Amino acid sequence: MGQMNRRVSHLIAGWRTGLSRPVLILQAGNAVNYFGYGLVLPFEIIYLQQVRGFSTSTAGLVLAATMGTSAIATPPTGALLDRYSAKALVVAGSLASALGYAGFAFVERPWQGFACSIVSGVGLGVAGTANRTLVVRLIRPEQRAAAFALNRVAGNFGIGAGATVGGFIVAAAPRLSTFQLLYFFDAVTYAGFALIVLAAVPSPRSEIATTTHGNGTGFRAVARDRPFLIVIAANVVLVVVGHTFFSNILPPFAKAHTPVGPAEIGIIILVNTSFIVIAQIPAVRVVARMRRTHAFAATSALFAVALLAVLPATLVHSELAATSVLAGVAIVLAIGEIAHILVLGPLVADMAPEHLLGRYLSLYSLTFTGSLALGPAIGGLLLQTSPDAIWWGGALAALLGGAVLLQLGDRIPDTLNQAPSRLASAPEAA
């Protein structure tokens, strides 16, 4: 019994983050928000194509427009965050996303879909960047790895639960009113998240950027940080092939080219997100023992292996066998995602001067929003022309991105190995 208690205590200790109550409340709100997003995420292209009658390429472009607009809105948001309240921008962006996603329930023509994409995309760009900046300003530097890990847990828990519920709902009633209900509930969660932030999260004071001859301000100062720009560019590739292809392209690909259906797609995404939820926070201490460039290289290799492993699922005729293969893909991708997020987020925060934190984190956000625009656009076109090229081409791109990051060596800070001991001594454990 004593040995079992020690094992349980050790397991619980692996989940201690040392983060304050407002940060934990913020991440709980994130989980609710992502649950709504997960309801629609795997079925956006399916909805626009099969229910609304859009072509596959048009559906992909509509989905890409959301993240394209988000990408455009992200850098200006970074500039605003270096001067104004991150909390206010989170609330405003979330309400805009609620309006845009509610509109998706009623689109009948492509132009209406693009209009909703623009509104929701602006909201995502503003709220996503402001959310990360708000979290960083609410924590101490040594808590960054744990904070980014918990953010990832909240996101994956919400998306996984939402995708699973959405998968079974769509499988039980694959009609227009079902998709409309899912989009409406997604909008409600964005509005609910705004209320949570407004009521329960403080607004930390930010350091106002002042122009000095020595360091400069604005994006010109950011542009002079060449290692940072290399990190951002290479990680756009990794996010496209490792994150976006799985979440946005694998569902319609699997439905068209494998025996799996909507319910199985939901389960596959649940496997991915559940693995991340369980392993992300304990992995903080594991990844801390790796050099950041080595972790990036390992991430790219895992992504390449997982992408190539999608192809065998097209060769089997058993629903169970295809689901098992794709569940294995989901697990390998999850391991890569865990290492990727634990390194990338804290690295960007470490590289950023305090007075440019908003701008640096806006480009970090752009890594994801830009990739979520490129991924559906590229994948949607390839689904019509050469579906298998998505996976072998993505694997090659992942390896190239990892090789570029590996070459950075000592040109980027490598202080992640200090996080575990500091986390363990944090006074406000949760």
Side-chain angles (χ1 to χ4, degrees):
M1 180 65 69
Q3 185 178 4
M4 180 177 295
N5 289 337
R6 284 193 297 272
R7 289 178 178 176
V8 172
S9 298
H10 181 72
L11 179 62
I12 294 174
W15 278 76
R16 295 173 69 89
T17 63
L19 299 174
S20 63
R21 185 182 299 275
V23 176
L24 297 177
I25 292 173
L26 184 62
Q27 301 300 4
N30 270 328
V32 174
N33 192 8
Y34 277 111
F35 175 81
Y37 184 51
L39 287 173
V40 302
L41 177 63
F43 308 107
E44 289 182 287
I45 290 180
I46 294 172
Y47 164 67
L48 293 174
Q49 178 195 21
Q50 298 186 4
V51 178
R52 293 302 187 181
F54 296 5
S55 68
T56 303
S57 58
T58 300
L61 290 173
V62 169
L63 183 56
T66 301
M67 293 306 165
T69 307
S70 179
I72 293 171
T74 295
T77 302
L80 291 174
L81 286 166
D82 286 329
R83 293 187 176 275
Y84 302 109
S85 168
K87 176 179 174 178
L89 291 172
V90 170
V91 172
S94 297
L95 292 176
S97 292
L99 179 63
Y101 276 104
F104 266 112
F106 304 102
V107 299
E108 295 181 350
R109 300 179 183 277
W111 73 263
Q112 295 170 333
F114 283 113
C116 291
S117 291
I118 291 171
V119 175
S120 57
V122 169
L124 290 175
V126 172
T129 307
N131 189 4
R132 292 184 177 98
T133 305
L134 180 59
V135 169
V136 170
R137 285 177 174 156
L138 286 169
I139 61 176
R140 299 188 300 273
E142 62 267 21
Q143 294 176 311
R144 286 169 179 168
F148 280 93
L150 185 59
N151 179 266
R152 191 65 178 169
V153 168
N156 278 272
F157 177 79
I159 288 176
T164 304
V165 172
F168 282 106
I169 291 175
V170 171
R175 53 180 179 264
L176 172 61
S177 60
T178 300
F179 289 100
Q180 289 178 315
L181 179 64
L182 294 181
Y183 273 105
F184 177 75
F185 192 84
D186 182 26
V188 169
T189 61
Y190 278 107
F193 177 70
L195 293 177
I196 291 172
V197 174
L198 191 63
V201 179
S203 184
R205 298 178 64 181
S206 61
E207 179 173 322
I208 302 301
T210 56
T211 303
T212 65
H213 179 72
N215 53 26
T217 61
F219 283 103
R220 289 186 179 181
V222 179
R224 288 195 291 269
D225 191 344
R226 295 298 178 85
F228 172 70
L229 296 182
I230 293 172
V231 167
I232 291 300
N235 276 287
V236 167
V237 175
L238 292 182
V239 175
V240 166
V241 302
H243 298 249
T244 310
F245 278 5
F246 175 77
S247 60
N248 293 119
I249 303 303
L250 183 61
F253 176 87
K255 191 173 187 299
H257 299 282
T258 75
V260 305
E264 289 74 29
I265 291 171
I267 291 172
I268 290 164
I269 293 178
L270 177 64
V271 169
N272 173 267
T273 53
S274 297
F275 192 96
I276 293 173
V277 167
I278 294 169
Q280 184 78 74
I281 292 177
V284 171
R285 290 161 174 80
V286 176
V287 177
R289 302 187 183 100
M290 304 174 65
R291 290 183 60 84
R292 279 169 165 165
T293 52
H294 294 172
F296 279 137
T299 294
S300 67
L302 289 167
F303 284 170
V305 170
L307 292 169
L308 291 175
V310 171
L311 296 175
T314 65
L315 305 177
V316 298
H317 302 288
S318 165
E319 183 180 88
L320 177 60
T323 302
S324 299
V325 170
L326 295 179
V329 167
I331 292 173
V332 176
L333 280 171
I335 298 171
E337 289 180 47
I338 286 170
H340 190 210
I341 296 302
L342 285 178
V343 175
L344 181 58
L347 172 60
V348 171
D350 287 349
M351 297 179 82
E354 177 60 30
H355 68 287
L356 295 175
L357 180 63
R359 288 173 170 85
Y360 271 70
L361 287 175
S362 74
L363 293 184
Y364 169 80
S365 298
L366 196 60
T367 298
F368 292 90
T369 54
S371 302
L372 291 172
L374 289 173
I378 296 171
L381 292 173
L382 289 176
L383 280 174
Q384 284 191 313
T385 57
S386 181
D388 288 355
I390 297 171
W391 312 111
W392 61 258
L396 290 175
L399 292 175
L400 178 61
V404 170
L405 290 166
L406 188 61
Q407 294 300 312
L408 287 175
D410 295 332
R411 296 173 65 191
I412 61 174
D414 203 4
T415 58
L416 192 61
N417 59 338
Q418 299 176 8
S421 60
R422 291 178 179 174
L423 283 173
S425 61
E428 292 181 281

